[in-house]
Amino acid sequence: MEKKSNRSGRSGMDPIVALTLVLVVLKATGLISWSWLWVLSPIWLTFLFFAAIFSAILVGGRAVKGKW
């Protein structure tokens, strides 16, 4: 039988998702007393990182073209 492949070509979980799940489980079981802001920080920090990179690319591209 032929094994079906992932569309993205990756297998397993992303490290950000795994870290978030671990922190949520630790918070839900009461083993850590962090606020939910920090428990969910892997998600929003990743989003902010990619937003900053995207913004830098946009601003840099406009500056190079002389449209600043």
Side-chain angles (χ1 to χ4, degrees), residues 42-52:
I43 294 172
W44 60 264
L45 285 175
T46 303
F47 174 75
L48 287 177
F49 174 74
F50 282 113

Side-chain angles (χ1 to χ4, degrees), residues 46-62 68:
T46 303
F47 174 75
L48 287 177
F49 174 74
F50 282 113
I53 296 290
F54 183 70
S55 298
I57 290 171
L58 284 179
V59 169
R62 289 184 62 86
W68 185 255

Side-chain angles (χ1 to χ4, degrees), residues 12-52:
M13 263 197 298
D14 290 331
I16 301 299
V17 174
L19 180 60
T20 304
L21 286 176
V22 167
L23 291 175
V24 166
V25 168
L26 289 173
K27 172 73 173 175
T29 57
L31 294 174
I32 58 175
S33 61
W34 301 353
S35 72
W36 281 103
L37 177 72
W38 293 112
V39 170
L40 299 175
S41 66
I43 294 172
W44 60 264
L45 285 175
T46 303
F47 174 75
L48 287 177
F49 174 74
F50 282 113

